[in-house]
């Protein structure tokens, strides 16, 4: 059977081959004319219906145009992206230069501030060292005074202890002397016996005569009166 060809509003030409519709056309984005069977999605063979073939060709043409437009848009976007990247690189380089300049100024400012801070810290350390020296001198002076006071207090306590010992010794000696004196004096005075308790050696001047005529020592007299 001879191939039949039909012209349509679409570019290229539709024709039948073995009763099935084909389209011979160069789609947008392609470099040469190509024959292709017009078959619906999922179909194994090209359609036998002209209207369906025309619709499939229009869909294929629109899809090719859309793909071409999208490709051109992507290309233009790529160019714009390259231009933007170059501009961004220039802006970045300028920004880095500005940052480097600012950083240099900041570092110089920081270095000056650091030098001033270190100078103040050294001055503070010197002042603290002088203050520590004065405190140490004061502490040593106070320690010397306290040591002198402790020594004087120790000597005073020793002297006081020695004085107490002497006073005790003198008091004991005085008591012994008084006892010896009393013993001596008591031996000289006349004594008698208490006629109540019978105690001997009672000084007569300490005996008291009661109504019965008995002479009682102070102890017996106290019991009698108690």
């Amino acid at each position: 059977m001879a191939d039949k060809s039909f012209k349509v509003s679409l570019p290229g030409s539709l024709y039948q081959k073995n009763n099935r519709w084909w389209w011979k056309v160069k789609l947008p984005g392609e470099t040469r004319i190509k024959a292709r069977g017009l078959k619906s999605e999922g179909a194994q063979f090209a359609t036998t219906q002209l209207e369906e073939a025309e619709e499939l060709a229009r869909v294929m043409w629109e899809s090719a145009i859309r793909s071409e437009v999208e490709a051109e848009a992507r290309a233009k976007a790529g160019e714009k992206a390259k231009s933007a990247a170059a501009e961004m690189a220039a802006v970045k380089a300028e920004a880095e230069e500005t940052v480097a300049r600012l950083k240099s100024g900041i570092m110089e400012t920081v270095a000056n501030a650091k030098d001033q801070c270190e100078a103040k810290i050294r001055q503070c350390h010197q002042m603290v060292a002088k203050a520590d020296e004065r405190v140490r001198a004061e502490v040593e002076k106070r320690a010397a005074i306290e040591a002198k006071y402790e020594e004087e207090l120790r000597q005073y306590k020793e002297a006081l202890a020695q004085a107490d010992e002497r006073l005790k010794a003198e008091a004991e000696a005085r008591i012994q002397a008084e006892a010896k004196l009393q013993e001596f004096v008591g031996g000289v005075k006349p004594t008698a016996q208490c006629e109540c308790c019978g105690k001997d050696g009672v000084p007569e001047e300490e005996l008291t005569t009661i109504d019965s005529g008995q002479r009682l020592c102070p102890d017996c007299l106290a019991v009698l009166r108690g």
Side-chain angles (χ1 to χ4, degrees):
M1 180 178 179
D3 294 341
K4 294 182 180 180
S5 177
F6 299 88
K7 293 290 183 180
V8 295
S9 59
L10 294 169
S13 59
L14 290 175
Y15 65 93
Q16 277 187 313
K17 182 179 179 181
N18 296 328
N19 203 33
R20 297 188 180 277
W21 288 99
W22 286 68
W23 187 24
K24 191 174 183 179
V25 68
K26 185 178 73 170
L27 295 176
E30 295 181 347
T31 59
R32 62 186 181 84
I33 296 174
K34 179 181 178 182
R36 63 204 78 208
L38 297 172
K39 56 183 179 181
S40 59
E41 185 178 356
Q44 186 176 1
F45 301 105
T47 181
T48 59
Q49 303 297 321
L50 176 59
E51 291 183 358
E52 183 180 3
E54 290 177 343
E55 180 64 25
L56 290 172
R58 277 192 293 271
V59 170
M60 191 179 298
W61 178 256
E62 291 174 358
S63 176
I65 291 174
R66 188 180 299 109
S67 297
E68 180 67 13
V69 171
E70 290 177 354
E72 290 180 358
R74 284 194 296 269
K76 290 180 180 179
E79 291 297 328
K80 289 183 179 179
K82 290 180 181 178
S83 177
E87 185 177 355
M88 182 65 76
V91 171
K92 184 178 179 182
E94 183 179 357
E96 288 178 351
E97 181 181 356
T98 302
V99 169
R101 186 172 60 255
L102 292 175
K103 184 178 180 181
S104 176
I106 291 172
M107 292 301 293
E108 184 177 355
T109 302
V110 170
N112 293 336
K114 182 180 179 182
D115 292 340
Q116 294 178 3
C117 183
E118 289 178 350
K120 289 183 178 179
I121 290 174
R122 285 194 298 270
Q123 185 178 3
C124 289
H125 285 170
Q126 292 174 357
M127 294 175 63
V128 170
K130 290 180 180 179
D132 288 342
E133 187 64 27
R134 288 197 298 269
V135 170
R136 279 197 299 271
E138 186 65 26
V139 169
E140 291 176 358
K141 181 180 178 181
R142 183 174 299 177
I145 294 174
E146 290 178 353
K148 181 180 179 182
Y149 168 77
E150 292 292 336
E151 180 62 21
E152 292 178 352
L153 181 62
R154 185 188 63 78
Q155 294 177 359
Y156 170 76
K157 288 181 178 179
E158 289 182 355
L160 185 60
Q162 293 175 0
D164 287 341
E165 290 295 330
R166 288 196 299 270
L167 288 175
K168 288 180 181 178
E170 291 175 359
E172 186 176 355
R174 185 170 58 250
I175 290 172
Q176 292 177 357
E178 289 178 354
K180 289 181 179 180
L181 179 62
Q182 187 67 27
E183 182 180 355
F184 174 75
V185 172
V188 173
K189 292 182 179 180
T191 61
Q193 183 182 49
C194 176
E195 296 179 356
C196 178
C197 65
K199 181 169 63 175
D200 293 327
V202 178
E204 287 189 356
E205 61 182 11
E206 293 182 4
L207 295 173
T208 301
T209 302
I210 61 176
D211 295 340
S212 63
Q214 290 179 313
R215 302 178 69 189
L216 277 61
C217 66
D219 294 335
C220 292
L221 181 63
V223 172
L224 178 65
R225 291 178 177 178

